[in-house]
Amino acid sequence: MDVNSVQHITQKKIRNFLVFFCLFLLLSCTKEPMFQHSLIYENNQAISLMFTGTKEANSYAIRLKGKSYNVLGDYQKEGNDIQFTPVIAFTRGESYEILLDEKVIQEFLVPKDMEAERPRLLSFYPKLDTVPENLLKMYLVFSKPMQQSQSTLDFIKVFNTTTSEEVQIFLPLENELWNADRTELTLWLDPGRIKKDLIPNKELGIPIKQGNNYEIVVENTLTDQEGIELGKPYVKRFSVAGRDIQKPNVKQWELTIPSGKSKEALGITFNDFLDAQLIEETISVVDANQQQIKGSFLIPKKGNNVLFIPENVWNRGKYQVLISGYLEDLAGNNLNRLFDEDLQSKKEKVLGSLNLLHFEIE
């Protein structure tokens, strides 16, 4: 091949490269710059969207993902910045699409309202402001399933406000006592410190002391299973009275009888403050044929009475309230024995034995 042929081929390759390079630059200039977007909030609502765009504002559209119609609103353009303000604020938890000339170029998610989604401590049992010195258990009830990666006690602080010191009153357990969906936690005050004559009682003393005031703080950093924090601390304050050394006595309970052919509540007033979480497990109502009456229990704040609300109207006739011997008061005294009593005592009754109350609806 002569020199002229080589030069001709080389010049042709250069021309082809230059043409390709020019086309590449031309195509590059028609593309959108690196896409950016951000939501603008007001009163905890996403009221507008800022995004980058080189085309005219009317070339763009916003749609709810999966829908064929555009979100109505106003577009304002300044340089490469476009602000879209919908007629109605963006919906929390929904995904949207940004379209250019009817083609999707970006998606964005409007985050859920973190405050609305935060877990909450709904109840702290017992709800009393004064508890017995030999209080056995406390319950925390949350609005959402809670975390399981760390001991919940790491997020609970207890202070004796009478002596101005932090104290440890709860029994640390390797496997915490949660219900099935992790919304209710049972906290035991150390039974070994409550029972007299046991070594923990002699060495450490009772967990809470008569005449003292306490404050329990559930810290704001406790999280649910999704890693969302409580967001604020929850505080329970209470005073301590003397020991409860009396068993609950069914014979001293009083019934408020509902009217026949009504859905009035059956009222049961106890002679003691009982473990609110055990009431539904241990009390039931049956008719003369031993058929259980379906319904729900409403437990007032104090926990010394309960209302049983039937699903259906009461029929006239005879009924029984069945109470399992497992039912306890706040100190763990059940219907058959005291918590601090010798478990091997020959006088001990069968714990599961039933106690009965009779009533008739006319």
Side-chain angles (χ1 to χ4, degrees):
M1 184 179 294
D2 58 22
V3 175
N4 290 334
S5 298
V6 173
Q7 290 177 341
H8 176 72
I9 293 173
T10 301
Q11 291 172 354
K12 185 176 180 179
K13 288 183 178 180
I14 293 174
R15 284 197 302 270
N16 290 340
F17 175 80
L18 291 174
V19 170
F20 174 81
F21 183 73
C22 290
L23 287 172
F24 174 80
L25 290 178
L26 180 62
L27 290 172
S28 298
C29 292
T30 63
K31 291 183 178 180
E32 291 289 301
M34 184 176 293
F35 195 87
Q36 296 179 349
H37 75 272
S38 61
L39 290 165
I40 298 174
Y41 292 86
E42 184 177 290
N43 296 327
N44 208 28
Q45 290 186 310
I47 62 168
S48 63
L49 172 74
M50 293 288 296
F51 62 95
T52 56
T54 58
K55 297 293 188 68
E56 293 300 317
N58 58 12
S59 300
Y60 298 89
I62 310 295
R63 289 180 185 169
L64 191 61
K65 186 176 180 181
K67 303 297 182 181
S68 59
Y69 52 85
N70 298 337
V71 177
L72 298 179
D74 178 62
Y75 292 86
Q76 297 291 333
K77 190 173 190 298
E78 184 174 340
N80 287 340
D81 294 327
I82 300 174
Q83 181 174 356
F84 172 71
T85 303
V87 174
I88 301 175
F90 292 109
T91 303
R92 291 276 192 176
E94 293 286 0
S95 293
Y96 291 81
E97 298 172 334
I98 302 175
L99 296 88
L100 172 60
D101 297 330
E102 296 298 315
K103 293 183 179 180
V104 178
I105 58 174
Q106 183 74 14
E107 292 184 10
F108 66 94
L109 172 68
V110 182
K112 292 183 178 180
D113 185 348
M114 291 296 289
E115 291 303 320
E117 292 298 314
R118 287 189 188 279
R120 291 174 291 123
L121 180 56
L122 300 177
S123 298
F124 204 133
Y125 291 98
K127 293 184 177 181
L128 293 171
D129 297 325
T130 302
V131 301
E133 185 181 48
N134 52 343
L135 176 70
L136 183 61
K137 289 177 288 186
M138 289 186 168
Y139 301 92
L140 276 64
V141 181
F142 296 91
S143 62
K144 298 175 65 181
M146 302 303 288
Q147 61 89 31
Q148 51 188 334
S149 59
Q150 192 172 347
S151 171
T152 308
L153 287 181
D154 292 343
F155 301 91
I156 297 176
K157 305 297 182 185
V158 184
F159 301 92
N160 183 329
T161 56
T162 300
T163 61
S164 301
E165 60 181 337
E166 183 176 352
V167 292
Q168 305 295 327
I169 68 172
F170 295 119
L171 180 67
L173 298 173
E174 184 175 351
N175 296 312
E176 294 183 324
L177 301 176
W178 287 95
N179 64 345
D181 60 5
R182 294 190 67 83
T183 56
E184 181 182 304
L185 175 65
T186 302
L187 296 174
W188 284 76
L189 283 76
D190 193 339
R193 295 174 59 185
I194 295 174
K195 278 182 172 288
K196 294 180 179 179
D197 298 326
L198 294 184
I199 293 177
N201 175 269
K202 293 180 179 180
E203 293 183 348
L204 301 174
I206 200 162
I208 56 177
K209 298 178 181 178
Q210 180 179 357
N212 284 232
N213 299 314
Y214 293 83
E215 180 178 272
I216 300 176
V217 180
V218 182
E219 297 180 333
N220 64 316
T221 51
L222 178 63
T223 63
D224 63 16
Q225 286 187 346
E226 297 174 339
I228 302 175
E229 296 182 347
L230 286 176
K232 66 176 183 179
Y234 288 81
V235 180
K236 165 71 175 178
R237 298 182 179 90
F238 61 92
S239 302
V240 182
R243 294 179 72 91
D244 181 352
I245 55 174
Q246 298 292 325
K247 293 181 293 186
N249 188 348
V250 172
K251 293 181 179 180
Q252 296 179 7
W253 293 9
E254 296 181 1
L255 300 181
T256 302
I257 311 301
S259 302
K261 299 302 179 182
S262 76
K263 295 183 71 174
E264 294 176 357
L266 169 68
I268 308 174
T269 301
F270 312 126
N271 71 312
D272 198 354
F273 296 103
L274 301 184
D275 186 319
Q277 305 308 100
L278 288 178
I279 287 176
E280 291 189 66
E281 297 179 21
T282 56
I283 298 180
S284 60
V285 181
V286 298
D287 62 18
N289 297 317
Q290 297 298 303
Q291 295 297 309
Q292 184 169 344
I293 305 301
K294 294 182 179 180
S296 58
F297 289 93
L298 176 62
I299 305 171
K301 180 179 179 180
K302 288 187 176 181
N304 64 337
N305 67 314
V306 67
L307 297 175
F308 175 76
I309 304 170
E311 285 188 4
N312 303 306
V313 298
W314 293 100
N315 293 319
R316 292 183 174 88
K318 295 183 178 181
Y319 294 84
Q320 291 179 333
V321 180
L322 309 183
I323 310 107
S324 169
Y326 287 109
L327 180 58
E328 298 176 354
D329 62 19
L330 302 183
N333 305 313
N334 63 44
L335 301 185
N336 299 321
R337 65 168 180 82
L338 296 175
F339 176 75
D340 212 6
E341 195 172 273
D342 184 2
L343 291 178
Q344 304 302 320
S345 172
K346 295 181 180 179
K347 297 180 180 180
E348 181 188 354
K349 296 181 182 179
V350 178
L351 294 183
S353 61
L354 285 177
N355 296 263
L356 306 178
L357 290 176
H358 301 269
F359 67 97
E360 184 173 356
I361 296 180
E362 298 179 349

